[in-house]
Amino acid sequence: MGVNANRLLFFSCILVVTGYCNGGRILVFPEDGSHWVNMQVILKELHAHGHSLTVVHSSRSWYIHDRSSLYTFISVNLTSTEDASRGIFETLLERSLSLRRMTPILRFFEQQKDVMTMLKIFHGVTLSIISTILDDSALMGKLQDSKFDLMLTDPAFPAGVLLAHYLHLPLVYNVRWLNAGDAHMAIAPSTPSYVPMYNSLFRDRMDFLQRTENFLRYMVSLLQEQFVILPIYEELLKRHFPPGSDLLSMQRSADIWLMRVDFIFEYPRPSMPNVVYIGGFQCRPAEPIVTELEEFMQSSGEHGVVVMSLGVMVTALPKHITEAIAAAFAKIPQKVIWRYVGDRPSSLGNNTLLLEWLPQNNLLGHPKTCAFVSHGGTNGIYEAIYHGIPVLLLPLLFDQFDNAIRLETRGAARVLEVSTLTSKEFLEALKDVIKNPSYKSNIQELSELHRDQPFSPLDSATFWIEYVIRHKGAQHLYSEGSSLPWYSYHNLDVVGFLLVIILAVLWALVYLVKFLCCTPYRKQKVE
Amino acid sequence: MGVNANRLLFFSCILVVTGYCNGGRILVFPEDGSHWVNMQVILKELHAHGHSLTVVHSSRSWYIHDRSSLYTFISVNLTSTEDASRGIFETLLERSLSLRRMTPILRFFEQQKDVMTMLKIFHGVTLSIISTILDDSALMGKLQDSKFDLMLTDPAFPAGVLLAHYLHLPLVYNVRWLNAGDAHMAIAPSTPSYVPMYNSLFRDRMDFLQRTENFLRYMVSLLQEQFVILPIYEELLKRHFPPGSDLLSMQRSADIWLMRVDFIFEYPRPSMPNVVYIGGFQCRPAEPIVTELEEFMQSSGEHGVVVMSLGVMVTALPKHITEAIAAAFAKIPQKVIWRYVGDRPSSLGNNTLLLEWLPQNNLLGHPKTCAFVSHGGTNGIYEAIYHGIPVLLLPLLFDQFDNAIRLETRGAARVLEVSTLTSKEFLEALKDVIKNPSYKSNIQELSELHRDQPFSPLDSATFWIEYVIRHKGAQHLYSEGSSLPWYSYHNLDVVGFLLVIILAVLWALVYLVKFLCCTPYRKQKVE
């Protein structure tokens, strides 16, 4: 205990020495959907630390509403007609399920087409939001007068990045994706030889052909960035920023990248010193649940409870799949709590409780919970890891297929193909996840590793945000490599130059040898 | 204060949750000289945490002696005659000073020759130590029976790495150099485009020719590793390890790399998730000094004290340089404390106190200290940064020239060329460092950044060592990239394959076009 006390003393000293930072003015530009769910966790913590928070959002947001008294909201009324409606996810899901039935090569091309369409829609909406803001001189004046200390943004789409640069604010990211690619790629060296690309469904150990496909995927993503995304913002940059401004440099220049990654889940890969890993920061010990729900949990007796949720984006699966799942649930001795919106499935058993919303973290941390059926969204996966609950995964969209492979590789989950799912298959897999002790022990091992950190991920996020406020940035962590063109970064110009020199020397040598050997010979011949 | 208390509570919870680890059995294989000075700081901390420590060292060590009661020592009696005597540093210094007077190109080649000689000497001694250990079956039996939890080693030379692999122990590094190259290069991608190589004297922003030289230096270091270092251990590997064992893979497979780097000093560069930065872990608040020394400090009045030390390796500079420095010291109003071994310089003033050993950290943290004259060793530089004392640097050997550039770039130090040093020059530079407030304010800014960490570097070192004990390794942080051959790691095989395909398709197209266009034409011609 002496050593513990010693550590605690050191820790409190650090807080005093470093001028523990209160009362910063933070401008927040979040993304919608599940990204907003986890951004709120950080915002609540920052509010508890006494910072004042101003959240910018579109008046057409699905989830970000002016309800919380914790923040000041700036609601941007979009003048353009461009919009991505909530219904888009149902369309995407339908398409995703049909893609799963295609041959790999066809799927690759169709996927790329879909990605292009999505990028155009979402970046179009982003452009519309940031244009509206920058064109509104009254609003810009107000923002400038507010003298914010910092912009905290999720840079999946670059509205927050552009606004921060316009206002000359230090920049902190709460990030996993950037321009719809992995955020690591933007600042650490790209290593498609062992870092599987988004949607590749590869592991970190790839054979030659997989590495070739992965490399091609990487190239395609660079081309998409260059020829699809960047042109969208060209006109805006010309109108509002100094000549020569480019979006990629702005994105790379963030002071701190709070990366929603933990390497108990993600494959190890390089990163830069201004990247702070906060994967699982939203996880916390379970709190008591409402009496009715607690009674339902307890009624499961020795069998326990299965919790199912497909996240906030997708409200409903196709009807025949829902029925197949409901029928399988009806056949297990466990109780089931299912986050479900829509018509009650006809095959639903008495053991299954449908709820439009559920306290996921508190249920996963409940001692009666024995398995989690999930779509494989990052938030849910980290909560399952934190609480050590084995998972049955039904990936539907985006990075969920890649997430599923990562958890499956570690023996902590079973993964099912939703597009061809049968009730029998679902039942067999669910029973396996509940009864086979290896899933439980593997995810508990991950849980132990995840919890064994010198500093909680959420405290880490808060520390580094306040660090940037205290020091007005963290540009000493910014790498000169980010300023180099790609061919210089990868030494291609140097290698080319050296090759030219080597070839010139070789050519000169050959010429010299020819000259020395052949001249007398020719002379002889002539003689 | 509520939030502080909250953090402290969280922190103590973490210690409980993670099963705070007591009583590990740690085998330690340190390096000699200044490396041992800083390894001891970690060892004392581990001892305070209740771990038992066994230190392996050569009986001919310069600094590692069986005096401390904190550790069990295993002293290896070398049978071979190979040895690197203490005097080697004087020879190296003489040579280093003469190199400084050469033209850059000649210096480059001479430096490489010196590096080769040094590598052969030090790796030869290392081979002799590890051979003696592995050949001593009684000692090996004892080590195997001791059932250590972990090997903690400084892998600058690989004796500890080899022993750990032989004993199948989890491996933690206290590291900055590996095979005499920067340890980063072994596991993170090599990026000579913006990471200056050892002894290049470049900054992180290089022009094209500097990048070319830096790239060549990188290539040379790879060749040295391949053709000078690895062959030294070949026979030993064949004799004691399974067929196919190779040293580079062993070195790369360490569980945790405690890297003696902080990016307030080093240029930002990529690293892998199992690298933990502990730069400056040896720094601590100053403790009171002995009365005589305190009285001397106080006698300096308003002028303050200059502290000078050239580290533990070099005991004396050439006589004319020593006299030049002593004469300059005699002309300043400050008092001077000089760590000095040898004959008293004739030009020494009354204001200068010579000491064979000085409590460097306590002196640098003393309120009367106003400047530090140093050779630019890493330990001293971090202490100067920690206490915010401006530095006058006289780099002599090894990485000291590169260190000097890093501190100079940040405006926290002046650097002098020792080989051509005059008393006047030294006096002018020293006065500048003392009087020009920019050095003080720049190094104090570095000090603030360095101290502003969520967790002290020494606690971080202890945490991760205990983490490896708790989880019997940290192989989930090991990157698949480390198992790839270099051409696959850099995607060269994939790029080659794709180029062949592209060329084949182009060739086929050209052939086809020729065939389609020319055939009728020829036919016509024939007709």
Side-chain angles (χ1 to χ4, degrees):
Chain A
M1 193 55 213
V3 184
N4 284 12
N6 201 0
R7 282 195 173 207
L8 293 180
L9 182 66
F10 161 79
F11 191 64
S12 56
C13 287
I14 274 278
L15 294 179
V16 175
V17 166
T18 57
Y20 183 69
C21 158
N22 268 317
R25 288 172 303 276
I26 301 175
L27 184 61
V28 185
F29 208 121
E31 289 299 331
D32 215 332
S34 60
H35 292 231
W36 171 240
V37 171
N38 70 49
M39 181 64 101
Q40 276 179 297
V41 177
I42 296 183
L43 296 187
K44 279 178 191 155
E45 187 71 9
L46 288 173
H47 180 263
H49 280 226
H51 301 290
S52 80
L53 302 160
T54 304
V55 176
V56 186
H57 71 118
S58 151
S59 56
R60 299 190 202 156
S61 292
W62 312 317
Y63 284 94
I64 311 172
H65 297 295
D66 300 14
R67 281 188 212 127
S68 173
S69 60
L70 303 185
Y71 337 119
T72 308
F73 281 93
I74 294 179
S75 184
V76 181
N77 283 310
L78 293 192
T79 48
S80 113
T81 51
E82 267 195 274
D83 198 6
S85 75
R86 273 292 280 108
I88 194 172
F89 292 107
E90 264 65 53
T91 320
L92 287 174
L93 174 60
E94 209 171 294
R95 175 84 179 139
S96 166
L97 294 182
S98 74
L99 280 183
R100 304 289 296 170
R101 289 182 223 110
M102 293 178 185
T103 59
I105 290 189
L106 189 59
R107 185 160 68 206
F108 175 82
F109 285 103
E110 291 295 315
Q111 264 178 359
Q112 298 311 322
K113 248 172 59 190
D114 285 10
V115 168
M116 299 272 263
T117 313
M118 272 200 298
L119 289 179
K120 278 183 189 160
I121 294 176
F122 286 111
H123 281 285
V125 174
T126 306
L127 177 70
S128 157
I129 296 174
I130 185 67
S131 300
T132 309
I133 297 173
L134 294 180
D135 288 339
D136 183 341
S137 54
L139 173 59
M140 288 310 293
K142 194 177 136 193
L143 289 175
Q144 251 144 354
D145 293 344
S146 303
K147 303 215 176 306
F148 292 106
D149 294 305
L150 180 93
M151 163 70 87
L152 173 63
T153 188
D154 184 326
F157 301 98
V161 176
L162 288 161
L163 186 55
H165 276 269
Y166 192 90
L167 296 170
H168 303 290
L169 295 180
L171 191 52
V172 175
Y173 289 162
N174 168 17
V175 56
R176 187 158 177 216
W177 306 105
L178 198 78
N179 299 346
D182 196 305
H184 279 99
M185 290 298 188
I187 46 163
S190 29
T191 41
S193 56
Y194 68 98
V195 176
M197 292 295 294
Y198 170 70
N199 242 330
S200 67
L201 309 187
F202 295 142
R203 304 179 180 195
D204 51 350
R205 182 174 295 188
M206 292 174 259
D207 63 27
F208 181 76
L209 285 181
Q210 288 174 328
R211 281 198 289 113
T212 305
E213 184 185 327
N214 203 48
F215 183 82
L216 287 174
R217 282 180 178 272
Y218 175 57
M219 287 293 137
V220 168
S221 78
L222 290 183
L223 294 175
Q224 273 166 348
E225 185 173 75
Q226 206 61 39
F227 297 108
V228 181
I229 299 171
L230 296 184
I232 292 177
Y233 298 94
E234 243 166 41
E235 196 269 328
L236 178 96
L237 285 174
K238 273 192 203 137
R239 202 148 40 93
H240 289 287
F241 289 85
S245 302
D246 80 297
L247 182 58
L248 289 188
S249 307
M250 289 187 197
Q251 285 177 321
R252 281 182 196 146
S253 72
D255 294 274
I256 293 288
W257 303 54
L258 302 172
M259 194 88 76
R260 298 194 294 270
V261 162
D262 183 341
F263 291 104
I264 49 136
F265 169 63
E266 187 54 80
Y267 300 126
R269 55 191 300 179
S271 67
M272 294 304 289
N274 57 348
V275 174
V276 176
Y277 292 101
I278 60 162
F281 67 94
Q282 73 277 26
C283 307
R284 55 189 194 282
E287 286 162 15
I289 45 179
V290 291
T291 320
E292 294 79 6
L293 214 49
E294 181 60 42
E295 279 168 5
F296 182 82
M297 296 296 284
Q298 293 303 338
S299 73
S300 67
E302 54 172 327
H303 295 297
V305 178
V306 173
V307 177
M308 171 160 176
S309 167
L310 301 179
V312 296
M313 300 289 203
V314 169
T315 41
L317 290 172
K319 197 163 182 305
H320 68 282
I321 298 174
T322 306
E323 288 294 344
I325 293 174
F329 277 151
K331 287 183 190 142
I332 58 171
Q334 283 76 21
K335 294 273 170 122
V336 179
I337 298 184
W338 186 353
R339 181 181 177 280
Y340 185 91
V341 181
D343 297 334
R344 186 183 165 85
S346 62
S347 50
L348 200 75
N350 287 334
N351 64 340
T352 305
L353 177 66
L354 302 182
L355 292 175
E356 290 215 355
W357 177 87
L358 50 78
Q360 187 168 291
N361 183 68
N362 298 340
L363 287 179
L364 291 178
H366 195 284
K368 286 285 180 196
T369 303
C370 64
F372 180 37
V373 181
S374 164
H375 62 312
T378 317
N379 287 340
I381 283 190
Y382 275 108
E383 284 174 359
I385 289 174
Y386 181 85
H387 294 293
I389 301 297
V391 193
L392 177 59
L393 287 164
L394 307 172
L396 303 173
L397 281 170
F398 309 130
D399 56 338
Q400 295 157 15
F401 300 95
D402 293 309
N403 288 347
I405 284 172
R406 279 154 184 70
L407 212 56
E408 192 186 33
T409 321
R410 285 164 174 85
R414 276 273 307 253
V415 183
L416 289 175
E417 176 58 56
V418 180
S419 59
T420 55
L421 189 72
T422 64
S423 189
K424 198 177 150 201
E425 220 180 359
F426 184 86
L427 183 62
E428 180 276 322
L430 183 59
K431 279 185 178 168
D432 184 33
V433 166
I434 296 170
K435 290 198 177 151
N436 184 337
S438 75
Y439 298 107
K440 180 79 181 168
S441 79
N442 286 331
I443 203 157
Q444 277 188 330
E445 201 176 299
L446 292 185
S447 178
E448 275 168 33
L449 286 170
H450 175 62
R451 286 168 176 243
D452 196 359
Q453 298 186 47
F455 205 52
S456 96
L458 184 57
D459 274 335
S460 198
T462 320
F463 176 87
W464 287 105
I465 290 169
E466 294 181 339
Y467 180 96
V468 170
I469 296 178
R470 280 196 289 277
H471 303 287
K472 305 191 192 318
Q475 286 296 307
H476 66 288
L477 298 178
Y478 177 77
S479 156
E480 273 300 320
S482 304
S483 313
L484 289 172
W486 64 271
Y487 50 86
S488 299
Y489 184 94
H490 293 289
N491 303 296
L492 297 182
D493 49 357
V494 167
V495 171
F497 174 65
L498 292 173
L499 279 181
V500 166
I501 291 182
I502 291 170
L503 288 176
V505 169
L506 281 179
W507 178 82
L509 275 178
V510 168
Y511 191 81
L512 193 71
V513 168
K514 260 190 179 168
F515 180 79
L516 290 177
C517 303
C518 305
T519 316
Y521 176 69
R522 270 191 205 156
K523 268 184 192 168
Q524 268 182 345
K525 245 183 141 179
V526 173
E527 280 160 15
Chain B
M1 190 58 214
V3 184
N4 283 12
N6 201 0
R7 283 195 172 205
L8 293 179
L9 182 66
F10 162 79
F11 192 64
S12 57
C13 288
I14 273 277
L15 294 178
V16 175
V17 166
T18 57
Y20 183 68
C21 158
N22 268 318
R25 288 172 304 275
I26 301 176
L27 184 61
V28 185
F29 209 123
E31 288 300 331
D32 215 331
S34 59
H35 291 230
W36 171 240
V37 172
N38 70 49
M39 181 65 102
Q40 274 179 295
V41 177
I42 296 183
L43 297 187
K44 279 177 192 157
E45 186 71 10
L46 288 172
H47 180 264
H49 280 227
H51 301 289
S52 79
L53 302 159
T54 304
V55 176
V56 186
H57 73 117
S58 150
S59 56
R60 298 190 202 155
S61 291
W62 312 317
Y63 285 93
I64 312 172
H65 297 295
D66 300 13
R67 282 188 212 127
S68 172
S69 60
L70 303 184
Y71 338 119
T72 308
F73 282 92
I74 295 178
S75 185
V76 181
N77 283 309
L78 294 193
T79 49
S80 113
T81 52
E82 266 197 277
D83 198 5
S85 77
R86 273 293 278 112
I88 194 173
F89 291 108
E90 265 64 53
T91 320
L92 286 174
L93 174 60
E94 209 172 293
R95 173 88 179 135
S96 166
L97 294 183
S98 74
L99 281 183
R100 304 289 297 169
R101 289 184 222 107
M102 293 177 185
T103 59
I105 291 188
L106 189 60
R107 184 160 69 207
F108 175 83
F109 286 103
E110 291 295 315
Q111 265 179 358
Q112 298 309 321
K113 248 171 61 189
D114 285 10
V115 168
M116 298 273 265
T117 314
M118 274 201 298
L119 289 179
K120 278 182 189 160
I121 294 176
F122 287 111
H123 281 285
V125 174
T126 307
L127 177 70
S128 158
I129 297 174
I130 186 68
S131 301
T132 309
I133 296 172
L134 293 180
D135 288 339
D136 183 341
S137 53
L139 172 60
M140 287 310 293
K142 193 178 135 191
L143 288 175
Q144 250 145 354
D145 292 345
S146 302
K147 304 215 175 303
F148 293 106
D149 294 305
L150 179 92
M151 163 70 87
L152 173 64
T153 187
D154 184 325
F157 301 99
V161 175
L162 288 161
L163 185 56
H165 276 269
Y166 192 92
L167 296 171
H168 303 291
L169 294 180
L171 190 52
V172 175
Y173 289 162
N174 168 19
V175 56
R176 184 154 180 221
W177 306 104
L178 197 80
N179 299 347
D182 195 305
H184 278 101
M185 290 297 189
I187 45 164
S190 29
T191 40
S193 56
Y194 68 98
V195 177
M197 292 295 295
Y198 171 70
N199 243 330
S200 67
L201 309 188
F202 295 143
R203 305 179 178 195
D204 52 352
R205 182 175 296 187
M206 292 175 260
D207 63 27
F208 181 75
L209 286 180
Q210 289 175 327
R211 281 198 287 112
T212 305
E213 183 185 329
N214 204 48
F215 184 81
L216 287 173
R217 282 181 178 271
Y218 175 58
M219 287 292 134
V220 168
S221 78
L222 290 183
L223 294 174
Q224 274 167 346
E225 184 173 75
Q226 205 61 39
F227 297 106
V228 181
I229 300 171
L230 296 184
I232 292 176
Y233 299 95
E234 242 166 40
E235 196 270 329
L236 177 96
L237 284 174
K238 271 192 202 134
R239 200 147 42 90
H240 289 287
F241 290 86
S245 301
D246 81 299
L247 181 58
L248 288 188
S249 307
M250 288 187 197
Q251 286 177 320
R252 281 185 197 143
S253 72
D255 293 274
I256 294 288
W257 302 55
L258 302 172
M259 194 85 77
R260 298 194 295 272
V261 162
D262 183 341
F263 292 104
I264 50 136
F265 170 64
E266 187 55 80
Y267 300 125
R269 54 192 300 178
S271 66
M272 294 304 289
N274 56 350
V275 174
V276 177
Y277 292 101
I278 59 162
F281 68 95
Q282 73 276 30
C283 306
R284 55 190 193 284
E287 286 161 16
I289 46 180
V290 291
T291 320
E292 296 78 6
L293 213 49
E294 181 60 42
E295 279 167 7
F296 182 82
M297 297 295 286
Q298 292 304 337
S299 73
S300 67
E302 55 172 327
H303 296 297
V305 178
V306 174
V307 177
M308 170 159 176
S309 168
L310 300 179
V312 296
M313 301 287 204
V314 170
T315 43
L317 290 172
K319 198 164 181 306
H320 69 281
I321 298 174
T322 305
E323 289 293 345
I325 293 173
F329 279 150
K331 289 184 190 140
I332 58 169
Q334 284 76 20
K335 296 272 170 125
V336 179
I337 299 184
W338 186 353
R339 181 180 178 278
Y340 186 91
V341 182
D343 296 335
R344 187 182 164 84
S346 63
S347 51
L348 200 75
N350 287 332
N351 63 339
T352 304
L353 178 66
L354 301 181
L355 292 174
E356 290 216 353
W357 177 89
L358 50 78
Q360 187 168 291
N361 183 67
N362 298 340
L363 288 180
L364 291 178
H366 195 286
K368 286 284 181 198
T369 303
C370 64
F372 181 37
V373 181
S374 164
H375 63 312
T378 317
N379 287 340
I381 282 190
Y382 275 110
E383 284 173 0
I385 290 174
Y386 181 85
H387 295 294
I389 301 297
V391 193
L392 177 58
L393 287 164
L394 307 172
L396 304 171
L397 281 170
F398 310 130
D399 55 338
Q400 295 157 16
F401 301 96
D402 294 309
N403 289 346
I405 283 172
R406 280 155 182 69
L407 212 56
E408 192 185 33
T409 322
R410 285 163 173 86
R414 275 277 301 258
V415 183
L416 290 176
E417 176 57 57
V418 181
S419 59
T420 56
L421 190 71
T422 65
S423 188
K424 198 179 147 198
E425 218 180 359
F426 185 85
L427 182 63
E428 181 275 320
L430 183 59
K431 278 186 178 168
D432 184 33
V433 166
I434 296 171
K435 289 198 179 154
N436 184 338
S438 74
Y439 298 107
K440 180 78 183 171
S441 77
N442 286 332
I443 203 156
Q444 277 188 330
E445 200 176 301
L446 291 184
S447 178
E448 274 167 35
L449 287 169
H450 175 61
R451 286 170 176 240
D452 197 0
Q453 298 185 47
F455 206 52
S456 96
L458 183 57
D459 274 335
S460 196
T462 320
F463 176 88
W464 287 105
I465 290 169
E466 294 181 337
Y467 179 96
V468 171
I469 296 178
R470 280 196 290 276
H471 303 287
K472 304 189 195 315
Q475 286 295 308
H476 66 288
L477 297 179
Y478 178 78
S479 155
E480 273 300 320
S482 303
S483 313
L484 289 172
W486 64 271
Y487 49 86
S488 299
Y489 183 94
H490 294 289
N491 303 296
L492 296 182
D493 50 356
V494 167
V495 171
F497 175 65
L498 291 175
L499 279 180
V500 166
I501 291 183
I502 291 170
L503 287 177
V505 169
L506 281 180
W507 178 82
L509 275 179
V510 168
Y511 191 81
L512 195 71
V513 169
K514 260 191 178 167
F515 180 79
L516 290 177
C517 303
C518 304
T519 320
Y521 177 69
R522 269 190 207 157
K523 268 185 191 166
Q524 268 182 344
K525 244 183 145 182
V526 173
E527 282 158 11

